[in-house]
C-alpha cells in the first residue's frame, strides 16, 4: 500500500543519481527532494517507530548542515569577488564567449559550419566565407554572391581559431570592476561612454534608500496584439490554477504550510507574451514540383502570414526571453491544398524558467491557446513536423546551456501528441492523424493534394523524388533501342508516367501517382512524426471531429462536473478584453490587429535573422546571466528598431563604437579605431600603416513610442516614397512635372555612388535601402528598373536558400536515421 499513501516517492539513491547526472539546477530543488525523502518515511511509518524517529532526526540534522553549507558557499563567493582580477559579481576572472561561427558558401557544403582550427577564406565584411576545399573549386576571378560580386584575390585567408573575451566595466559608485554582462551594462545606451554607471549591488542599495531610479527595459513596453493578449490571458489563468494545485500537493507531501509551498513554487516573476512579427510572405514552389503538376494548374506560390510569438519571464527583476514560436497561417485566400491551414514551423526554449517543472505545462498551454485562436479564425487543420534540430544546430536561440538536452525524435513527437490530447479533451481539436495515413496512403490522391509549407519535410523530399523519377525515365529512354530492356521496362512500369503493375494505368490515365508511392516507402516507418490535427472550427466536417472513446468519456464527465462545455468557457474568457487600459507611463494602450496590420521586425522576421543578430553580437543563452543580458539587448533592439543591429569594435581599446565617428581601414580586415584611439599616436594598430577613412556612426532612432495617428502617417509616407521611387526609376524626362522626381533621382544616384553605404552609417543610404527592401519584397518583375531591386531579391533568396539548406540537412538526417534503424532491425 506504499504508493497508495505516498503520492510523490523519493529516496536518497535517486537523489544521488540526479546529482551525478547534473539534474539539479538549484540548491532549493536538492533541498526539496531530501526533505521529501524524510517526510515520506515519517508519513508511511507511524510515530514512535524506529524508522519514523530516525527520519525525523536525519531531517533535523540535514536542515542544520544545509544552512552551514550555504553560509560557507556565500563566504567563499564573497572572498573570491574581492580579488583584484575577479568580477565583483560572479567572482570569476577571464570569461570567453562561444567561438564565432562561420558558414561555408560553397557549392559542395552550403550553410555547413566551418570547422574550428581549420583555414578558410572570407570577404572583408564577413558576409561570405568558403572552406579550403570549396575555395579551391571556385572558378574565375570574380565570384557572384547574389547581392554583390567579389574578387577572388581580395578574399582573406584566416584560421578559425578566434577567441573573444567578455568586456569589463567599472562601477562609478563602488569602483569595483565587473563583467559588462554580469552588470547588465548596455553599451548602445551609453553611446559616448560618459554616463555614470551603477552596478546592480549599488542600485539595490539606492533602491533600499528610496532613491528614484529610471525604469529598466520591460517586455510590457512591446506593442500588444489581439493574439498576444489572447495567449497571455489564457496562459495566466491556467498557470494560476496549476500552481495552486501543486502548492496544495507540496504542502501535504512535505508537511509545510500552503503559503510556504506556494512561495517555493513561484520564485519567478510573471510571464509576458508578445507578438514581434506579423508579415505577409510568399512560399515559392520548387521547379520540379511546379513542372510535374502544371497540368493541374498547380500554384507557383503560396501566400501566408508569418507570426512570431516570444515569451518573457521576470527573473530577479529582468525580463528574460525563454520561449519563441514561429507559425505560418494560410488563410481563406490561399489556393488548395493550403487553404485554411496553419503550420507550426519552429519553436525553441531555454530552461531558465522558474519553477522549471512548469516549463512543459506552460509551453503546452501556449500552443493549446494558439490552436484555440486558430480554430476561432476559421482554420481547419494544423500541421507539425516533429523533428529535433541536428547536433550543433540552433533553431532560434544561440548557444543554449550545455546541460539542456536536445530531445530525441520519439520524445519530441510524444510531447506534441500529449499537447494535442489536451486539445481534444477541451474540444479544440478533433481527429489527430498523420500525413502518411491521411494523404500518402490514399490512392485517390496525388502529390498536388498535399499541403506545401515553407521549411516542411514534403517540399524538399518531393523535389528529390521527382528528380529520381525523371532520371530513371531518362535512363530508360536512352536504352529503348534494345528489345530486352524495353520489355523489362514495360513489365516494371513506366515510372515517369506512373504505370502501376497492378492496374496497368499510367498516372496520366488515372493510375497511382508514383511520387505518392515513393513517399509511402520513404516515411512509413517514421510517419508518426508528421502530425495532422483537425481543428474544431465552425465549418468542420463531423468525420474530422471523431476522437477516441476515452476522450469522449472525459468530455462527458467534465461537462457533468462543471456544467459548461469548454466552448462556453472559452467564450466567457474572451469577454471583457476591450476595456481601455494604460501602460506604466499612463499612456493609453492600443492593441494591434495582427491579421490586418504589418508588424515588421527585421531581426525577428525569420529565425535565421535572429540567430545572425545573436551570433554577431555575442548574445548567448548558455548561462542565466548571459540570457538576462541578451534579453535586455533584445528589448533594446525591439524598442529601437531603426538602430543598427551591429556596431564595430575599436581595434585598440576593444570598446564598441556606437556614436560619433569611427576611423576605418579599407584594406585591413576588421580594423576600426574610435576617435580617442585614432588621436593617440601610441594606440595599437597592429600591422596597419594605411590611411584611415573617417565614417560617421549611425545611432538610429526609436520608433516604438509612436501614437496610432503617427503610425498610420508613417505607413502612408512609406507607401508614397515607394511610389515615388518607382516613378523616378522609370522616368526619363528631364522636365518631369512631379516636383519630387528630380530629388528622388539624386537620392538614388547617391545610393549608387556613396562609399559609406547603409552598413557604414550613411543615413540617406539607410532610408533608401529600407524603401528598396520593402519594394523588393513585393516586386515580381524580372526586369525591374529600380536600382538594387533584383540584387535585394537575390539576397532575400539567398537567406531562403540558407534556411532551406538547413531544413534539407534535417530531412536527410531523419531519412538516414530511419534507414539505419531499418537495416539494424
Amino acid at each position: 500500500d506504499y504508493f497508495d499513501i505516498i503520492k510523490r516517492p523519493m529516496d536518497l539513491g535517486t537523489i544521488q543519481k540526479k546529482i551525478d547526472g547534473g539534474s539539479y539546477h538549484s540548491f532549493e530543488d536538492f533541498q526539496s527532494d531530501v526533505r521529501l525523502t524524510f517526510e515520506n518515511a515519517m508519513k508511511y511509518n507511524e510515530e514512535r517507530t524506529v524508522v519514523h524517529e530516525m527520519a525525523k532526526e536525519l531531517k533535523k540534522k540535514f536542515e542544520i548542515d544545509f544552512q552551514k553549507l550555504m553560509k560557507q558557499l556565500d563566504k567563499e563567493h564573497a572572498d573570491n569577488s574581492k580579488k583584484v582580477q575577479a568580477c565583483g559579481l560572479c567572482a570569476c576572472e577571464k570569461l570567453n564567449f562561444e567561438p564565432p561561427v562561420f558558414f561555408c558558401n560553397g557549392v559542395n557544403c552550403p550553410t555547413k559550419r566551418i570547422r574550428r582550427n581549420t583555414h578558410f577564406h572570407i570577404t572583408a565584411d564577413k558576409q561570405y566565407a568558403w572552406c579550403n576545399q570549396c575555395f579551391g573549386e571556385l572558378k574565375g576571378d570574380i565570384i557572384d554572391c547574389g547581392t554583390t560580386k567579389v574578387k577572388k584575390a581580395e578574399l582573406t585567408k584566416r584560421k578559425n581559431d578566434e577567441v573573444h573575451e567578455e568586456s569589463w566595466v567599472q562601477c562609478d559608485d563602488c569602483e569595483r570592476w565587473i563583467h559588462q554582462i554580469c552588470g547588465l551594462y548596455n553599451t548602445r545606451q551609453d553611446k559616448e561612454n560618459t554616463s555614470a554607471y551603477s552596478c546592480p549591488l549599488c542600485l539595490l542599495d539606492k533602491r533600499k534608500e528610496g532613491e528614484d531610479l529610471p525604469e529598466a527595459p520591460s517586455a510590457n513596453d512591446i506593442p500588444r496584439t489581439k493574439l498576444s493578449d489572447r495567449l497571455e490571458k489564457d496562459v495566466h489563468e491556467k498557470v494560476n490554477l496549476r500552481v495552486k494545485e501543486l502548492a496544495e500537493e507540496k504542502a501535504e507531501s512535505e508537511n509545510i504550510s500552503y503559503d510556504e509551498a506556494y512561495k517555493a513554487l513561484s520564485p519567478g516573476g510573471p510571464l509576458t507574451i508578445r507578438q514581434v512579427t506579423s508579415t505577409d510572405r510568399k512560399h515559392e514552389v520548387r521547379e520540379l514540383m511546379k513542372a510535374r503538376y502544371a497540368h493541374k494548374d498547380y500554384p507557383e506560390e503560396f501566400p501566408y502570414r508569418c507570426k512570431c510569438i516570444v515569451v518573457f519571464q521576470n527573473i530577479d527583476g529582468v525580463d528574460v526571453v525563454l520561449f519563441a514560436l514561429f507559425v505560418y497561417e494560410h488563410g481563406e485566400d490561399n489556393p488548395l491544398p493550403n487553404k485554411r491551414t496553419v503550420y507550426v514551423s519552429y519553436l525553441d526554449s531555454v530552461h531558465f524558467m522558474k519553477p522549471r517543472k512548469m516549463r512543459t505545462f506552460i509551453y503546452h498551454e501556449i500552443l493549446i491557446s494558439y490552436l484555440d485562436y486558430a480554430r476561432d479564425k476559421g482554420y481547419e487543420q494544423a500541421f507539425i513536423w516533429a523533428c529535433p534540430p541536428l547536433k550543433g544546430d540552433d533553431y532560434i536561440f544561440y548557444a543554449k546551456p550545455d546541460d539542456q538536452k536536445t530531445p530525441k525524435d520519439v520524445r519530441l513527437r510524444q510531447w506534441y501528441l500529449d499537447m494535442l490530447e489536451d486539445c481534444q479533451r477541451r474540444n479544440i481539436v478533433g481527429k489527430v492523424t498523420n500525413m502518411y495515413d491521411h494523404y500518402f496512403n490514399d490512392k485517390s490522391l496525388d502529390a498536388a493534394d498535399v499541403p506545401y509549407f515553407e521549411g516542411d519535410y514534403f517540399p524538399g523530399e518531393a523535389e528529390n523524388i521527382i528528380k529520381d523519377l525523371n532520371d530513371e525515365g531518362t535512363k530508360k529512354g536512352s536504352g529503348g533501342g534494345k528489345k530486352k530492356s524495353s520489355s523489362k521496362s514495360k513489365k516494371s512500369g513506366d515510372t515517369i508516367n506512373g504505370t502501376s503493375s497492378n492496374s496497368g494505368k499510367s498516372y496520366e490515365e488515372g493510375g497511382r501517382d508514383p511520387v505518392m508511392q515513393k513517399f509511402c516507402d520513404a516515411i512509413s516507418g517514421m510517419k508518426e512524426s508528421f502530425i495532422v490535427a483537425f481543428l474544431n472550427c465552425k465549418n468542420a466536417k463531423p468525420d474530422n471531429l471523431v476522437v477516441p472513446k476515452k476522450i469522449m468519456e472525459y468530455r462527458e464527465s467534465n461537462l457533468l462536473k462543471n456544467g459548461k462545455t469548454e466552448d462556453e468557457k472559452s467564450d466567457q474568457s474572451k469577454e471583457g478584453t476591450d476595456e481601455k487600459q494604460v501602460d506604466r507611463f499612463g499612456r493609453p494602450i492600443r492593441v494591434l490587429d495582427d491579421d490586418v496590420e504589418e508588424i515588421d521586425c527585421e531581426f525577428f522576421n525569420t529565425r535565421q535573422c535572429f540567430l545572425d543578430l545573436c551570433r554577431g553580437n555575442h548574445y548567448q543563452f548558455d548561462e542565466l546571466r548571459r540570457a538576462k543580458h541578451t534579453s535586455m539587448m533584445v528589448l533594446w533592439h525591439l524598442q529601437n528598431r531603426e538602430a543598427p543591429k551591429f556596431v564595430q569594435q575599436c581595434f585598440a581599446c576593444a570598446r564598441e563604437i556606437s556614436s560619433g565617428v569611427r576611423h576605418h581601414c579599407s584594406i585591413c580586415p576588421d580594423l576600426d579605431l574610435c576617435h580617442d584611439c585614432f588621436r593617440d599616436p601610441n594606440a595599437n594598430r597592429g600591422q596597419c600603416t594605411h590611411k584611415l577613412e573617417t565614417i560617421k556612426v549611425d545611432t538610429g532612432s526609436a520608433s516604438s513610442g509612436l501614437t496610432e495617428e503617427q503610425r498610420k502617417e508613417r505607413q502612408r509616407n512609406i507607401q508614397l516614397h515607394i511610389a515615388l521611387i518607382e516613378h523616378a526609376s522609370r522616368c526619363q524626362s528631364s522636365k518631369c512635372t512631379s516636383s519630387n522626381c528630380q530629388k528622388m533621382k539624386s537620392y538614388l544616384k547617391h545610393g549608387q555612388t556613396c562609399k559609406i553605404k547603409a552598413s557604414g552609417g550613411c543615413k540617406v543610404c539607410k532610408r533608401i535601402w529600407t524603401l528598396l527592401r520593402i519594394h523588393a519584397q513585393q516586386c515580381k518583375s524580372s526586369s525591374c528598373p529600380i536600382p538594387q531591386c533584383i540584387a535585394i531579391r537575390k539576397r532575400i533568396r539567398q537567406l531562403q536558400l540558407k534556411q532551406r539548406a538547413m531544413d534539407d540537412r534535417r530531412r536527410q538526417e531523419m531519412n538516414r536515421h530511419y534507414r539505419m534503424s531499418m537495416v539494424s532491425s
Side-chain angles (χ1 to χ4, degrees):
D1 62 346
Y2 184 82
F3 294 106
D4 296 330
I5 299 170
I6 304 302
K7 303 301 181 185
R8 293 176 59 208
M10 183 55 63
D11 60 84
L12 297 177
T14 301
I15 293 172
Q16 184 63 54
K17 286 179 182 177
K18 291 175 78 172
I19 291 173
D20 295 340
S23 299
Y24 288 116
H25 302 284
S26 70
F27 291 110
E28 290 76 15
D29 290 343
F30 166 75
Q31 183 186 30
S32 178
D33 277 356
V34 176
R35 280 177 175 172
L36 181 61
T37 300
F38 297 134
E39 287 293 342
N40 286 346
M42 292 162 64
K43 186 176 182 179
Y44 185 74
N45 297 276
E46 295 179 0
E47 287 187 28
R48 298 180 182 176
T49 60
V50 175
V51 175
H52 183 98
E53 292 303 318
M54 284 179 65
K56 188 176 180 180
E57 189 65 29
L58 285 171
K59 184 189 175 189
K60 185 178 177 181
K61 188 175 187 310
F62 167 75
E63 295 293 351
I64 295 169
D65 290 347
F66 185 80
Q67 293 304 319
K68 283 182 182 177
L69 175 64
M70 296 308 295
K71 287 178 182 178
Q72 182 184 339
L73 291 173
D74 289 341
K75 185 178 181 300
E76 287 178 5
H77 179 83
D79 292 341
N80 289 335
S81 64
K82 291 175 183 176
K83 292 180 182 177
V84 177
Q85 301 295 327
C87 170
L89 294 176
C90 71
C92 296
E93 298 182 10
K94 179 180 176 180
L95 293 174
N96 294 328
F97 286 112
E98 188 79 7
V101 179
F102 299 99
F103 295 90
C104 181
N105 288 88
V107 178
N108 293 328
C109 51
T111 74
K112 283 189 178 179
R113 289 191 182 198
I114 294 173
R115 294 196 310 274
R116 288 287 290 170
N117 299 313
T118 61
H119 288 91
F120 68 104
H121 301 260
I122 192 168
T123 55
D125 59 2
K126 295 186 179 180
Q127 293 296 312
Y128 304 95
W130 289 265
C131 65
N132 251 344
Q133 181 182 350
C134 291
F135 176 79
E137 294 175 1
L138 290 173
K139 296 179 180 179
D141 297 329
I142 304 296
I143 307 168
D144 187 357
C145 299
T147 56
T148 184
K149 292 183 179 180
V150 296
K151 293 181 180 178
K152 187 176 179 180
E154 292 180 353
L155 297 179
T156 306
K157 185 175 182 180
R158 290 169 57 178
K159 191 175 182 180
N160 189 13
D161 59 356
E162 287 184 43
V163 176
H164 295 278
E165 184 184 346
E166 284 191 22
S167 299
W168 296 74
V169 64
Q170 187 179 28
C171 175
D172 292 312
D173 295 324
C174 64
E175 297 187 348
R176 58 163 70 95
W177 282 92
I178 57 176
H179 296 116
Q180 290 185 4
I181 286 177
C182 295
L184 296 175
Y185 178 66
N186 186 349
T187 54
R188 304 292 182 90
Q189 199 76 35
D190 184 17
K191 294 169 186 170
E192 305 292 341
N193 295 299
T194 56
S195 302
Y197 168 72
S198 299
C199 70
L201 295 176
C202 292
L203 283 176
L204 191 62
D205 291 338
K206 289 179 181 180
R207 188 162 280 128
K208 286 177 181 177
E209 293 169 4
E211 188 174 330
D212 190 20
L213 299 173
E215 293 282 347
S218 171
N220 284 315
D221 297 334
I222 303 172
R224 288 162 47 180
T225 66
K226 289 184 176 180
L227 172 57
S228 68
D229 274 11
R230 171 78 173 270
L231 298 182
E232 192 172 85
K233 188 173 186 296
D234 288 352
V235 171
H236 280 178
E237 287 177 357
K238 295 292 184 183
V239 167
N240 290 337
L241 289 172
R242 181 65 175 161
V243 170
K244 286 178 182 177
E245 290 174 4
L246 291 174
E248 289 172 359
E249 183 182 315
K250 184 179 180 70
E252 183 183 353
S253 61
E254 296 185 22
N255 196 25
I256 57 177
S257 68
Y258 173 82
D259 290 341
E260 188 180 348
Y262 188 87
K263 186 179 178 181
L265 285 168
S266 52
L271 295 171
T272 303
I273 301 176
R274 288 294 182 267
Q275 183 176 355
V276 293
T277 294
S278 183
T279 56
D280 287 325
R281 309 275 179 82
K282 290 178 181 177
H283 179 208
E284 294 181 3
V285 177
R286 301 194 192 187
E287 293 301 322
L288 296 180
M289 181 76 180
K290 190 169 25 177
R292 183 176 180 85
Y293 298 99
H295 67 283
K296 300 195 72 173
D297 295 327
Y298 197 73
E300 293 187 357
E301 60 187 19
F302 291 97
Y304 64 93
R305 188 85 165 174
C306 174
K307 296 181 179 180
C308 177
I309 306 296
V310 180
V311 178
F312 299 82
Q313 186 183 28
N314 192 278
I315 301 175
D316 304 326
V318 182
D319 284 333
V320 184
V321 182
L322 298 177
F323 177 85
L325 167 69
F326 281 90
V327 292
Y328 301 155
E329 297 178 353
H330 295 256
E332 182 69 32
D333 59 338
N334 252 248
L336 292 171
N338 283 25
K339 193 171 184 177
R340 292 193 293 274
T341 60
V342 295
Y343 181 65
V344 178
S345 178
Y346 299 101
L347 62 83
D348 202 0
S349 68
V350 284
H351 64 23
F352 299 123
M353 181 169 284
K354 295 184 178 182
R356 195 165 300 198
K357 63 176 67 176
M358 292 287 287
R359 283 180 68 216
T360 294
F361 177 81
I362 289 172
Y363 300 155
H364 275 182
E365 288 300 329
I366 291 168
L367 286 169
I368 290 168
S369 183
Y370 173 73
L371 293 178
D372 192 22
Y373 163 89
R375 62 127 177 191
D376 286 343
K377 291 288 183 181
Y379 293 101
E380 296 177 349
Q381 289 174 283
F383 294 82
I384 301 170
W385 175 21
C387 178
L390 298 181
K391 186 178 181 181
D393 275 350
D394 295 304
Y395 260 3
I396 299 173
F397 297 119
Y398 171 56
K400 286 189 284 192
D402 291 335
D403 61 343
Q404 181 170 331
K405 297 175 183 177
T406 302
K408 300 292 184 184
D409 53 353
V410 175
R411 186 172 180 179
L412 180 63
R413 183 168 66 239
Q414 192 58 49
W415 189 90
Y416 280 115
L417 291 174
D418 290 343
M419 179 272 297
L420 290 171
E421 190 173 317
D422 275 345
C423 287
Q424 287 180 319
R425 290 195 188 102
R426 302 182 199 183
N427 208 15
I428 295 169
V429 165
K431 183 169 69 174
V432 175
T433 180
N434 58 73
M435 298 280 282
Y436 177 90
D437 293 335
H438 191 68
Y439 291 102
F440 300 123
N441 207 31
D442 188 340
K443 295 183 179 179
S444 65
L445 301 178
D446 58 22
D449 297 310
V450 180
Y452 198 89
F453 300 118
E454 177 81 47
D456 191 33
Y457 178 91
F458 175 72
E461 191 68 13
E463 205 73 357
N464 281 354
I465 287 174
I466 294 170
K467 183 179 181 299
D468 290 344
L469 290 171
N470 290 348
D471 290 346
E472 288 175 21
T474 303
K475 287 178 184 177
K476 289 178 181 179
S478 62
K482 296 180 182 179
K483 288 185 180 179
K484 279 189 177 180
S485 62
S486 176
S487 62
K488 281 182 182 177
S489 177
K490 285 181 182 178
K491 284 181 183 178
S492 60
D494 186 354
T495 55
I496 196 70
N497 291 324
T499 302
S500 168
S501 58
N502 297 329
S503 63
K505 290 184 179 180
S506 69
Y507 170 52
E508 281 77 4
E509 294 171 344
R512 176 78 160 136
D513 183 357
V515 175
M516 299 291 273
Q517 183 58 54
K518 283 188 173 286
F519 257 107
C520 283
D521 298 338
I523 72 167
S524 60
M526 51 183 176
K527 64 180 183 179
E528 300 297 337
S529 296
F530 307 100
I531 301 168
V532 181
F534 287 89
L535 303 179
N536 184 11
C537 60
K538 188 176 181 181
N539 298 317
K541 297 177 182 177
D543 289 348
N544 293 332
L545 300 180
V546 176
V547 293
K549 184 180 178 182
K550 66 175 184 177
I551 299 295
M552 287 302 300
E553 290 173 352
Y554 174 86
R555 287 181 186 174
E556 290 168 4
S557 64
N558 198 49
L559 179 62
L560 290 171
K561 191 185 297 181
N562 298 316
K564 290 180 182 176
T565 65
E566 276 296 332
D567 285 342
E568 289 170 341
K569 290 180 196 172
S570 180
D571 290 338
Q572 282 187 344
S573 69
K574 294 166 202 168
E575 294 173 3
T577 54
D578 296 329
E579 295 176 9
K580 289 189 176 180
Q581 302 177 46
V582 294
D583 62 14
R584 58 179 177 154
F585 302 110
R587 298 175 301 198
I589 293 174
R590 175 175 173 257
V591 179
L592 305 176
D593 188 342
D594 52 284
D595 290 323
V596 176
E597 299 191 50
E598 285 274 320
I599 304 172
D600 184 27
C601 181
E602 189 178 350
F603 54 88
F604 260 123
N605 277 341
T606 66
R607 63 158 207 91
Q608 193 63 51
C609 290
F610 184 66
L611 273 175
D612 290 343
L613 173 80
C614 293
R615 286 184 181 128
N617 290 295
H618 300 299
Y619 295 162
Q620 300 181 191
F621 291 87
D622 53 339
E623 300 173 9
L624 180 57
R625 65 185 191 91
R626 283 179 171 168
K628 288 178 180 178
H629 183 268
T630 295
S631 302
M632 178 190 73
M633 295 309 301
V634 167
L635 284 170
W636 185 87
H637 281 289
L638 285 168
Q639 293 167 9
N640 299 271
R641 300 191 185 198
E642 300 301 319
K645 298 193 296 296
F646 308 100
V647 294
Q648 282 74 23
Q649 272 193 331
C650 176
F651 184 84
C653 66
R655 288 189 311 185
E656 290 185 345
I657 312 171
S658 53
S659 66
V661 295
R662 62 186 175 93
H663 302 272
H664 174 71
C665 179
S666 57
I667 299 171
C668 301
D670 306 330
L671 196 140
D672 289 273
L673 294 178
C674 66
H675 192 57
D676 291 340
C677 293
F678 175 73
R679 291 187 300 177
D680 182 2
N682 297 320
N684 176 28
R685 295 195 183 190
Q687 298 179 349
C688 177
T689 57
H690 311 105
K691 185 178 179 181
L692 302 185
E693 180 185 0
T694 302
I695 299 174
K696 189 175 180 181
V697 176
D698 180 22
T699 57
S701 59
S703 61
S704 58
L706 300 178
T707 63
E708 180 178 357
E709 193 57 41
Q710 288 172 332
R711 198 186 301 274
K712 288 181 179 178
E713 184 63 28
R714 186 170 181 268
Q715 289 297 323
R716 280 197 294 269
N717 285 336
I718 288 173
Q719 295 304 321
L720 286 172
H721 279 84
I722 290 174
L724 183 58
I725 285 179
E726 292 173 352
H727 165 81
S729 301
R730 293 181 173 89
C731 179
Q732 302 295 326
S733 173
S734 58
K735 300 179 181 179
C736 182
T737 55
S738 173
S739 58
N740 292 316
C741 180
Q742 289 300 324
K743 193 174 182 180
M744 183 56 75
K745 284 180 179 177
S746 68
Y747 284 149
L748 292 173
K749 187 176 181 181
H750 167 86
Q752 292 174 330
T753 58
C754 179
K755 293 183 179 180
I756 300 175
K757 302 293 184 186
S759 58
C762 176
K763 288 192 175 182
V764 175
C765 286
K766 184 160 187 175
R767 288 169 184 165
I768 294 297
W769 183 262
T770 301
L771 294 170
L772 291 174
R773 180 175 62 84
I774 295 171
H775 161 82
Q777 286 174 338
Q778 305 297 326
C779 181
K780 295 184 70 176
S781 172
S782 57
S783 56
C784 182
I786 293 179
Q788 296 296 317
C789 175
I790 293 175
I792 293 171
R793 280 152 57 189
K794 279 186 178 180
R795 177 62 180 160
I796 294 171
R797 177 72 174 161
Q798 277 189 331
L799 287 173
Q800 291 173 341
L801 290 174
K802 190 176 180 180
Q803 176 62 55
R804 182 183 291 178
M806 194 204 105
D807 292 327
D808 284 346
R809 286 208 323 274
R810 231 178 6 137
R811 175 178 51 79
Q812 290 161 7
E813 178 61 23
M814 193 173 186
N815 289 342
R816 187 189 68 81
H817 178 74
Y818 164 66
R819 290 181 186 123
M820 285 179 63
S821 63
M822 288 291 289
V823 170
S824 61
S825 62

